[in-house]
Amino acid sequence: MTKPITHIAGYPRMGARRELKFALEKYWSGQLQKAELETQGRQLREQHWLEQAKAGLDFVSVGDFAFYDQILNLSQLLGVIPPRFHTTDQEDDLDTYFRMARGRAPCGQPAAACEMTKWFDSNYHYLVPEFQPQQLFNLNAQRLLAEVSEAQVLGYRPKVTLVGPLTYLWLGKPQGEFSALELLPALLPVYAQLLQKLADQGVDWVQLDEPILALDLPQEWKQAFETAYNQLQAVTINKLVAVYFGGLQDNLGLAVNLPVAGLHLDLVRAPEELEQVLDRLPGYKILSAGVVDGRNIWRADLAALKANLESARERLGERLWLAPSCSLLHLPQDLAQEDQLDPQIRAWLSFARQKLDELALLAKALDDGDAVETTSVWIEQQAAVKSRQTSALIHSPQVAARLAAITPADLKRPAAYALRAAVQKQALNLPLFPTTSIGSFPQTPEIRKTRRDYKQGQITDDTYRQVMQEEIAQAVREQEALELDVLVHGEAERNDMVEYFGEQLEGYAFTRFGWVQSYGSRCVKPPIIYGDVARSQPMTVEWSRYAQSLTAKPMKGMLTGPLTCMQWAFIRDDQPREVTCKQIALALRDEVQDLQAAGIGVIQIDEPAFREGLPLRQADWAGYLRWAVDSFRLSASVAEEATQIHTHMCYSEFNDIIEAIADLDADVITIETSRSNMELLDAFEDFEYPNEIGPGVYDIHSPNIPEVDWMVQLMQKAAEKIPAERLWVNPDCGLKTRQWAEVRPALAAMVAAARQLRRDYL
């Protein structure tokens, strides 16, 4: 028996040093020609294929590369281009692509960018397909076919990965009163045409990602799977249907019986389904076992995985394939660059490049365990796993004792919202439709250089503090000139909204190059939570106190909430998420108390990951929402009546969890609504949301300057659903990625819109 086939569903595309990010941003700013951008993309693909081949994988992954987003790739491939982006033949397809993503590109007229939202329960954002009534689909596969050729010319065996037709329709948004499922008959022939072209080009395996099979699906969607894959069966190419981020549960029978050549399971999220699938898998079908974690950075316990898979190996023989649980897109690329991590912690880690080696090593062990398990690489792997399990770095008795002492009283504000609102109104003296921003202001090259120089020891503490205070003072002057009502200090001292706090908390570790794509060219560097979390000293008080001293207007203290601090990190897998989250909440509770004592009367605790952390299955929602809400309230409930607590959430659908959001009991919530044209507020209307809300009136991820009339119209829509006296006017997210030349006119227009609204509603 030969060793199991090994493959992956996708690889990080930014490059080990974010080469694609910098190339994209140069292209958008006119500093790089299209041909140079294409060359950078091709070089990265070649490098990533080489890494896969060197590790010994049997396929290289094609179709996972994107200049912005893989769903946007598919929309362009299928001809799903909204009418506002239709253009002349003179505009390159790549610029149409970027206009859909960003609202503008080097060529073509600006237009409102496509809506963006989270990819299932991850922090990756995809561009939402827009479906018109009687949507036409037209194949435009030249770019994908060219990438297949690139791999073949280099001597690799490509496995093409595509999002499957049902998941693509599910993720899209109909522009009218119809179901996306109605478009399936028009879509399937185009998928079949694409599969045939791939077959004609010599591709023998195509992976069709259908992660919606891990969701609670309506019956008509389940039936559509059988219809779709029976129709696609006519194309003679091997199809591997992939499910990840959760188990199949009630969809298991449907998935195993689809007329395809193979099925991929996420056996990290749903290890219990292996035996169930083995009992029901047809004899002709391969099983791709997703056993190496594609969402987290801990080394795999290969001995345990081997033991769990031996039965499957005996029953399936060569029909057992091995893979990560999902695409490795969600991981940093290469641990080899991390030369400044604590050696003990570094030994516990495995990034995308190392996951390839783990996969190949596991395949060899299943083929010839006696030979592999005596090698130094196997022994070292297992020693690292055992070291983490027994390390004294992980547990703190003091943190455990404090967690055990939490009482129900710790989760409640001292007064109900109605009473707090009256007290805050008198204390803050804000106008109707008060204006504010979400928190951050542009992170200029000078700010980044100062932070970098300070971290590298090239400037003193005093010099660093002086420069940061000058930046804060400049941000305050800008806001006062614009006549905003509630100010922020601009966050010049912060590298990232999660990393900044993690650097000051015990139990966190940090990488130098552990970048992960969030969307487009935007990358984040998630911290690593390896042990119990605690705060040893104030984290933000000095900067907020200084900023408040510069103005008579209210100054917001800015914190990242416990759930987001956890969700946007690589978290421990040796204890429940609830425990980690509440440890962070206790640390933030201390920070809220210190900010309040320093005279900060408005404190924002951002929770953009609140919806993202929701389990995929509704049966699991109640448990998650209970501890997620409790964690937020644990951090915020120490605030006095006069202290106004804000929270911010972005790019999420709230309709199904609106009661839990209300239960957070924040005085003010700010959300993203500009790209969705205020559609998200439907949830707040139906539920009669009781507190104040700031629906974002312009899209900060687009460089386009918003028009006053447009923002007024959006707020008028909001006032139809929420009483005007409970509405705020703000952007939809922080402004750190923008430039001051864009921020000033945008905020000036926003303030002008608020003034017009006051005239109309007073």
Side-chain angles (χ1 to χ4, degrees):
M1 192 183 297
T2 60
K3 74 175 182 62
I5 293 287
T6 52
H7 69 108
I8 61 172
Y11 202 64
R13 49 190 176 235
M14 283 289 112
R17 296 293 180 100
R18 294 180 293 164
E19 294 91 335
L20 184 58
K21 168 190 172 65
F22 300 122
L24 284 167
E25 292 172 357
K26 285 182 179 179
Y27 177 71
W28 295 335
S29 65
Q31 301 176 58
L32 198 70
Q33 296 300 308
K34 174 178 174 289
E36 296 173 290
L37 178 62
E38 295 279 14
T39 296
Q40 179 66 80
R42 185 174 62 254
Q43 290 173 346
L44 284 170
R45 290 191 294 272
E46 292 178 3
Q47 175 61 34
H48 299 161
W49 292 333
L50 179 62
E51 291 178 11
Q52 294 166 49
K54 279 187 172 180
L57 269 62
D58 295 281
F59 295 95
V60 298
S61 180
V62 176
D64 54 343
F65 179 83
F67 281 117
Y68 206 95
D69 165 51
Q70 69 268 17
I71 296 294
L72 183 59
N73 278 16
L74 187 55
S75 290
Q76 191 172 52
L77 182 149
L78 296 170
V80 182
I81 299 175
R84 65 185 179 278
F85 300 108
H86 287 175
T87 185
T88 64
D89 292 339
Q90 280 73 39
E91 182 180 345
D92 186 87
D93 277 349
L94 194 59
D95 283 335
T96 301
Y97 176 91
F98 287 136
R99 288 196 301 131
M100 290 171 66
R102 306 178 64 246
R104 66 168 59 184
C107 182
Q109 292 298 313
C114 293
E115 185 177 346
M116 186 165 62
T117 196
K118 295 294 180 71
W119 178 248
F120 295 87
D121 61 351
S122 77
N123 189 29
Y124 178 79
H125 302 67
Y126 72 92
L127 274 297
V128 179
E130 294 180 20
F131 299 136
Q132 309 301 319
Q134 290 82 49
Q135 174 74 51
L136 298 177
F137 298 96
N138 298 289
L139 189 61
N140 177 24
Q142 294 89 333
R143 185 174 289 276
L144 176 62
L145 296 174
E147 292 178 10
V148 170
S149 294
E150 288 175 18
Q152 291 171 327
V153 167
L154 293 169
Y156 301 129
R157 184 185 182 190
K159 176 177 65 69
V160 174
T161 298
L162 299 167
V163 168
L166 275 303
T167 292
Y168 179 70
L169 290 177
W170 179 275
L171 296 176
K173 180 173 285 189
Q175 306 298 296
E177 297 299 321
F178 65 96
S179 167
L181 195 55
E182 296 173 26
L183 303 176
L184 184 61
L187 177 61
L188 287 177
V190 182
Y191 261 85
Q193 185 183 356
L194 173 60
L195 293 175
Q196 188 60 58
K197 285 184 175 293
L198 292 170
D200 293 343
Q201 198 162 320
V203 174
D204 53 357
W205 278 92
V206 172
Q207 177 171 315
L208 293 167
D209 288 352
E210 295 284 12
I212 64 168
L213 283 167
L215 306 180
D216 299 304
L217 289 179
Q219 188 61 34
E220 61 268 24
W221 284 82
K222 295 184 180 185
Q223 293 170 350
F225 268 93
E226 297 179 359
T227 301
Y229 282 90
N230 275 308
Q231 187 169 331
L232 293 177
Q233 189 179 14
V235 184
T236 54
I237 190 171
N238 292 311
K239 304 169 200 72
L240 175 70
V241 167
V243 185
Y244 42 78
F245 298 162
L248 288 163
Q249 297 186 25
D250 59 314
N251 296 323
L252 190 146
L254 168 64
V256 297
N257 289 312
L258 288 175
V260 293
L263 178 66
H264 170 85
L265 299 181
D266 183 340
L267 296 176
V268 174
R269 289 285 181 94
E272 70 282 355
E273 291 193 344
L274 176 59
E275 289 300 320
Q276 299 172 41
V277 170
L278 287 175
D279 289 339
R280 301 181 64 176
L281 194 73
Y284 68 88
K285 194 171 292 187
I286 71 103
L287 174 64
S288 169
V291 291
V292 172
D293 195 344
R295 290 280 296 271
N296 215 334
I297 43 69
W298 305 109
R299 275 198 177 191
D301 185 343
L302 296 184
L305 292 180
K306 176 177 176 290
N308 291 339
L309 289 169
E310 282 175 342
S311 173
R313 175 67 166 165
E314 291 175 6
R315 294 172 66 175
L316 297 178
E318 295 179 1
R319 291 191 294 122
L320 177 67
W321 290 14
L322 300 181
S325 57
C326 61
S327 171
L328 300 176
L329 170 71
H330 309 283
L331 300 177
Q333 185 164 327
D334 194 354
L335 182 64
Q337 304 179 99
E338 302 300 334
D339 54 3
Q340 295 183 13
L341 274 170
D342 180 311
Q344 184 176 175
I345 296 172
R346 186 182 186 278
W348 301 340
L349 306 181
S350 175
F351 291 179
R353 176 64 188 83
Q354 287 68 45
K355 301 282 185 183
L356 305 180
D357 293 332
E358 288 183 320
L359 199 62
L361 187 60
L362 178 60
K364 291 176 182 176
L366 280 168
D367 184 43
D368 189 356
D370 292 340
V372 172
E373 291 169 13
T374 57
T375 63
S376 60
V377 64
W378 181 274
I379 293 169
E380 187 260 341
Q381 174 92 10
Q382 293 308 120
V385 170
K386 185 174 180 59
S387 165
R388 179 171 169 240
Q389 293 169 346
T390 58
S391 174
L393 290 177
I394 292 177
H395 299 292
S396 164
Q398 293 84 1
V399 172
R402 191 177 180 196
L403 203 63
I406 295 171
T407 69
D410 294 326
L411 309 179
K412 293 182 179 180
R413 295 287 295 274
Y417 164 75
L419 178 59
R420 300 197 310 264
V423 174
Q424 292 163 14
K425 183 176 182 180
Q426 184 174 6
L428 298 173
N429 192 29
L430 297 174
L432 188 67
F433 294 105
T435 57
T436 189
S437 69
I438 300 305
S440 59
F441 276 125
Q443 293 266 318
T444 64
E446 293 77 15
I447 289 174
R448 292 193 182 96
K449 182 179 185 303
T450 300
R451 282 206 312 264
R452 185 169 59 250
D453 289 348
Y454 179 61
K455 187 169 277 191
Q456 295 174 353
Q458 297 179 17
I459 58 175
T460 64
D461 289 356
D462 288 343
T463 299
Y464 174 73
R465 185 175 296 105
Q466 180 181 348
V467 174
M468 290 298 109
Q469 287 182 346
E470 290 170 356
E471 293 290 348
I472 291 169
Q474 176 63 24
V476 172
R477 287 193 295 271
E478 294 277 2
Q479 293 171 88
E480 291 199 316
L482 289 163
E483 299 186 2
L484 289 165
D485 298 307
V486 175
L487 311 189
V488 297
H489 79 286
E491 304 180 13
E493 80 286 0
R494 302 188 188 183
N495 43 11
D496 174 82
M497 65 182 293
V498 172
E499 185 176 8
Y500 174 78
F501 289 94
E503 285 177 336
Q504 302 180 78
L505 293 169
E506 297 170 11
Y508 277 79
F510 298 87
T511 63
R512 295 178 63 204
F513 304 105
W515 297 100
V516 177
Q517 184 183 19
S518 180
Y519 62 86
S521 67
R522 169 76 170 142
C523 298
V524 294
K525 189 150 59 71
I528 298 165
I529 303 178
Y530 67 86
D532 288 340
V533 177
R535 188 196 79 146
S536 58
Q537 61 186 12
M539 301 178 286
T540 67
V541 175
E542 174 188 352
W543 305 115
S544 292
R545 182 192 288 120
Y546 173 73
Q548 184 65 83
S549 74
L550 302 175
T551 181
K553 291 189 173 184
M555 175 66 60
K556 277 196 288 192
M558 299 299 304
L559 305 177
T560 301
L563 191 76
T564 301
C565 280
M566 180 194 73
Q567 188 75 17
W568 290 2
F570 292 117
I571 64 172
R572 296 170 62 174
D573 58 1
D574 62 338
Q575 68 180 17
R577 290 194 301 158
E578 175 182 358
V579 174
T580 301
C581 196
K582 287 183 175 177
Q583 290 176 356
I584 301 169
L586 286 170
L588 292 172
R589 182 182 179 90
D590 295 342
E591 191 72 10
V592 169
Q593 195 160 27
D594 286 344
L595 282 168
Q596 192 171 240
I600 304 301
V602 182
I603 301 173
Q604 182 167 308
I605 306 174
D606 288 338
E607 282 292 23
F610 187 84
R611 176 63 174 81
E612 170 193 316
L614 195 68
L616 299 185
R617 294 284 186 160
Q618 290 192 19
D620 301 322
W621 285 10
Y624 163 78
L625 290 171
R626 175 190 52 76
W627 63 256
V629 168
D630 283 355
S631 296
F632 181 89
R633 292 176 69 128
L634 183 61
S635 65
S637 292
V638 71
E640 298 168 356
E641 295 173 10
T643 301
Q644 190 173 73
I645 296 293
H646 290 224
T647 190
H648 172 67
M649 299 179 182
C650 55
Y651 299 106
S652 295
E653 299 289 344
F654 299 124
N655 303 51
D656 43 12
I657 58 167
I658 186 62
E659 292 186 27
I661 290 175
D663 201 31
L664 294 175
D665 199 25
D667 298 300
V668 183
I669 179 175
T670 53
I671 61 171
E672 179 279 324
T673 54
S674 60
R675 284 200 181 198
S676 61
N677 200 22
M678 292 287 168
E679 289 178 10
L680 288 178
L681 286 186
D682 291 345
F684 293 85
E685 176 188 41
D686 297 339
F687 175 70
E688 296 184 3
Y689 184 74
N691 300 12
E692 296 171 47
I693 181 169
V697 293
Y698 82 88
D699 174 20
I700 69 91
H701 296 93
S702 170
N704 297 340
I705 305 302
E707 296 179 356
V708 173
D709 289 347
W710 168 253
M711 290 186 282
V712 169
Q713 290 171 17
L714 287 178
M715 290 303 298
Q716 288 170 341
K717 284 186 178 182
E720 295 173 1
K721 306 172 188 295
I722 305 287
E725 62 270 18
R726 290 199 275 117
L727 285 172
W728 286 61
V729 182
N730 46 262
D732 66 4
C733 204
L735 298 163
K736 67 181 292 184
T737 62
R738 302 265 56 93
Q739 300 177 16
W740 276 109
E742 300 161 339
V743 167
R744 291 188 189 97
L747 289 180
M750 188 187 81
V751 171
R755 288 179 183 142
Q756 183 173 327
L757 288 161
R758 288 167 195 156
R759 291 193 297 269
D760 293 343
Y761 283 84
L762 280 175

